[in-house]
Amino acid sequence: MAEEESLELEVSDEPKSKKKLILFGSIAAVLIVIIAATLWLLLSGDETAAENSGGEAVAEVKASDKREAFYAAMPRPFLFNLPGNGRTRLVEIKVQLMVRGKDDDVLIKKHIPLIEDALLTTFSGADVQKLSTLAGKDELRLLALLNVQNTLQPIIGRKVVEKVLFTGFVMQ
């Protein structure tokens, strides 16, 4: 009789382990499907949203991305003083502008004095505390890009500069 009880216990454990295996397998399958669906929506949703919103602007960006990138270096670095924390800091920034296509490169070189003025105005209004951090430098770079684009927009009629790049940055 003791042997029968032990056999019955062993037989009854097998269906529970099979049920656990099926349960864990189904949970794993559901998680894989959810992860795959989420990745598919995230990766395909960006293209669809970009195509649906601002059709002409997106088409212009896609057309400009196909052209070769040119980098127009400013002829001299920007040197300026910034007051902060009881002492004045000397800052030197070397800048290059990224444009698309040879025609835009020629346009940028034609308007270098105007671009230098816009950049110097932007840089001299910076804060020493912000320039000490990477986020502050990124914010200054974005502000410089917007200022250059807004300065050139009335003259050229479109946004020519795609990026402002800091190729040298020294603060003493």
Side-chain angles (χ1 to χ4, degrees):
M1 193 141 192
E3 291 176 8
E4 289 178 10
E5 287 179 15
S6 66
L7 287 176
E8 287 178 18
L9 290 176
E10 290 177 10
V11 171
S12 64
D13 283 342
E14 286 182 26
K16 286 183 181 178
S17 66
K18 285 183 182 179
K19 287 180 184 177
K20 286 181 181 178
L21 182 63
I22 291 172
L23 179 66
F24 287 128
S26 62
I27 290 173
V30 169
L31 286 175
I32 290 173
V33 169
I34 290 172
I35 291 170
T38 304
L39 287 174
W40 181 75
L41 287 174
L42 288 175
L43 295 176
S44 67
D46 291 343
E47 295 171 6
T48 323
E51 290 174 4
N52 291 338
S53 64
E56 288 183 17
V58 172
E60 183 180 325
V61 169
K62 286 183 180 179
S64 68
D65 286 344
K66 292 179 183 177
R67 296 185 304 174
E68 184 179 1
F70 285 87
Y71 299 92
M74 293 293 102
R76 58 196 154 273
F78 293 90
L79 279 169
F80 53 95
N81 291 318
L82 287 180
N85 294 346
R87 66 180 249 211
T88 302
R89 300 275 187 139
L90 178 67
V91 180
E92 178 185 74
I93 302 176
K94 294 179 183 175
V95 177
Q96 289 194 10
L97 305 174
M98 186 178 106
V99 296
R100 296 286 179 168
K102 186 70 174 166
D103 296 336
D104 290 348
D105 187 41
V106 171
L107 276 173
I108 290 298
K109 290 180 180 173
K110 180 179 175 183
H111 295 290
I112 281 182
L114 186 61
I115 294 168
E116 284 181 329
D117 176 62
L119 288 173
L120 190 58
T121 303
T122 304
F123 294 156
S124 62
D127 182 26
V128 172
Q129 296 298 332
K130 286 185 179 181
L131 290 182
S132 301
T133 65
L134 182 60
K137 290 175 189 171
D138 289 339
E139 182 182 330
L140 182 65
R141 187 180 299 116
L142 180 62
L143 188 60
L145 173 66
L146 293 174
N147 199 2
V148 167
Q149 287 176 340
N150 290 338
T151 301
L152 292 176
Q153 180 82 25
I155 295 169
I156 297 175
R158 59 187 169 87
K159 293 183 179 179
V160 179
V161 178
E162 191 171 321
K163 286 185 180 180
V164 171
L165 306 167
F166 292 168
T167 57
F169 191 97
V170 178
M171 185 167 57
Q172 295 180 347

